[in-house]
Amino acid sequence: MPARRKVDWIYPLALLPALPAPAGSLATLRKRAKACHACPLWQHATQTVFGEGPVSAEMMVIGEQPGDQEDQLGEPFTGPAGNLLDRALAEASLDRGELYVTNAVKHFKFEPRGKRRLHQRATAREQAICRQWLAAEVREVHPRRILALGAMASKAVFGGQFRLTARHGQWMALPGGVMAMATWHPSAVLRTPDAGSREQRYRELVADLKRFASDKTGDD
Ligand code: URA
């Protein structure tokens, strides 16, 4: 297998970060991101939820933003959406331990409602500010394949015009020789109200993950 080079690195995602990607190894970035106050989201969140996985990962999975449980545990995809993702990955014969799993936004955003914390979507500005960390993770891991889960991650990877409904499961070439695909976010599967449609979405998620897992990156 040819060695992967970082020297001529080209940022492969469509949306640029609002701030320059911080320098440093993945371990340094994780430490620096813990103290990130670049947008107001850190004020109410328990902690920064940085990406997890081997720096040598060939495949990177990008979600949206941490939920309640991820906020408490400090790890991405550890709540209900993570459980569904794990089940779908296993069905697609993808080993989560071999993936670098991260989010487009690294802090939980919520609205307190009694004892509950209701998920709120990060604004476009918060996403753009936080993208410095995603850019730095992509630079350090320099994956060959990227999977975007849901609309927020898909737009970061493919641009604002991207339509998940029309393009999920299709390979697309990104700058720098990276191949990428988008699929349904596990939370969107969980939120689908009707059981039949939910099962169909889940099946589509698994089918897309199987394509992502395969080495064939042509649209054959
Ligand atoms: N949803 C996401 O997009 N990421 C997580 O880590 C958890 C839920």
Side-chain angles (χ1 to χ4, degrees):
M1 189 188 299
R4 289 186 287 164
R5 300 177 67 220
K6 268 202 310 191
V7 189
D8 306 320
W9 188 72
I10 300 165
Y11 182 60
L13 310 187
L15 298 189
L16 291 170
L19 298 169
S25 68
L26 214 46
T28 305
L29 293 168
R30 181 171 285 115
K31 224 180 274 170
R32 292 182 69 182
K34 272 190 183 163
C36 183
H37 291 182
C39 86
L41 293 189
W42 67 274
Q43 292 174 6
H44 303 290
T46 308
Q47 57 194 316
T48 303
V49 180
F50 204 69
E52 289 279 343
V55 68
S56 58
E58 300 215 337
M59 293 178 261
M60 178 181 273
V61 176
I62 307 173
E64 301 200 325
Q65 54 189 88
D68 197 335
Q69 295 198 35
E70 287 81 11
D71 173 68
Q72 292 174 46
L73 285 169
E75 288 174 20
F77 285 104
T78 43
N83 293 340
L84 186 126
L85 178 63
D86 286 346
R87 182 153 68 89
L89 288 173
E91 278 201 52
S93 305
L94 277 163
D95 178 353
R96 176 150 170 185
E98 290 179 3
L99 309 173
Y100 187 86
V101 178
T102 191
N103 282 307
V105 170
K106 310 291 194 243
H107 278 121
F108 180 41
K109 181 174 183 181
F110 62 94
E111 190 188 295
R113 187 75 60 81
K115 285 191 180 159
R116 296 178 61 209
R117 305 193 297 170
L118 298 187
H119 169 93
Q120 275 198 315
R121 190 178 178 78
T123 63
R125 181 75 191 144
E126 288 159 351
Q127 292 174 41
I129 291 172
C130 201
R131 210 172 291 130
Q132 58 179 309
W133 298 112
L134 180 62
E137 288 174 296
V138 173
R139 181 195 65 223
E140 288 308 301
V141 178
H142 50 104
R144 284 182 193 279
R145 294 182 241 172
I146 292 178
L147 180 71
L149 299 175
M152 185 191 289
S154 299
K155 287 185 194 303
V157 175
F158 300 112
Q161 301 305 312
F162 185 81
R163 291 289 167 265
L164 194 54
T165 329
R167 307 295 299 270
H168 75 89
Q170 295 177 16
W171 280 116
M172 276 163 275
L174 300 178
V178 177
M179 294 301 293
M181 181 185 287
T183 189
W184 304 123
H185 194 286
S187 300
V189 177
L190 290 172
R191 278 197 310 267
T192 308
D194 154 69
S197 314
R198 191 160 58 243
E199 179 60 20
Q200 189 191 332
R201 256 197 184 188
Y202 177 74
R203 287 288 135 222
E204 287 173 5
L205 169 63
V206 172
D208 291 350
L209 288 176
K210 284 184 177 167
R211 298 199 83 200
F212 182 69
S214 105
D215 270 339
K216 284 191 237 142
T217 50
D219 263 329
D220 47 331

